Amino acid sequence: MIHRALLGSVERLIAILAEHCEGRWPLWVSPRQVMVVPVSLDNLEYAQKVKVAFKEAGFHADVDDSRNNMRKKIAMAVDPKANQMYNYCMVVGAEGQGSNSVNVRKRGTVNAR
């Protein structure tokens, strides 16, 4: 009898990747890739448009429309100690809305630059 372990090698790859990354998955396999954070509720519509643009580009994107302050929203999105670790946090405000742009923060950078 010939034994083939095709799925076994895939399982080992995933186990090694999970152990190496410690839950901080690379962008290409991450279930949480982009979090769009509006500065205020006035920018929520623009945040939804940014989310749709990322989804159309093939990324998994969410919008944080909670009542938390902006600093807490950003910390919850990119802080490695938080439950949800998004690879990128896109902060959108009135200035970015006017110029059709976003402020990008990478996972692990909680403080403003």
Side-chain angles (χ1 to χ4, degrees):
M1 181 165 133
I2 297 175
H3 176 70
R4 291 182 59 185
L6 294 176
L7 292 179
S9 57
V10 172
E11 289 174 1
R12 281 191 295 279
L13 171 72
I14 292 172
I16 291 169
L17 187 61
E19 186 176 333
H20 177 71
C21 296
E22 298 176 345
R24 294 180 202 95
W25 296 98
L27 184 66
W28 57 277
V29 292
S30 179
R32 295 183 171 134
Q33 295 174 329
V34 177
M35 170 63 85
V36 183
V37 175
V39 172
S40 68
L41 292 177
D42 298 334
N43 308 111
L44 190 57
E45 185 178 330
Y46 179 61
Q48 294 291 347
K49 288 169 62 175
V50 171
K51 173 190 162 187
V52 168
F54 274 103
K55 286 212 179 242
E56 288 175 352
F59 292 95
H60 175 80
D62 292 320
V63 173
D64 188 349
D65 56 356
S66 67
R67 299 281 185 211
N68 294 330
N69 64 24
M70 186 182 68
R71 180 174 282 220
K72 185 168 185 175
K73 288 180 184 182
I74 294 169
M76 297 211 25
V78 295
D79 186 7
K81 296 174 188 150
N83 285 339
Q84 50 183 350
M85 290 187 296
Y86 286 84
N87 291 71
Y88 291 96
C89 177
M90 308 295 170
V91 182
V92 296
E95 188 175 306
Q97 187 173 355
S99 63
N100 204 23
S101 63
V102 296
N103 182 355
V104 180
R105 293 179 189 238
K106 191 173 180 182
R107 177 178 51 214
T109 56
V110 178
N111 297 330
R113 294 182 243 166

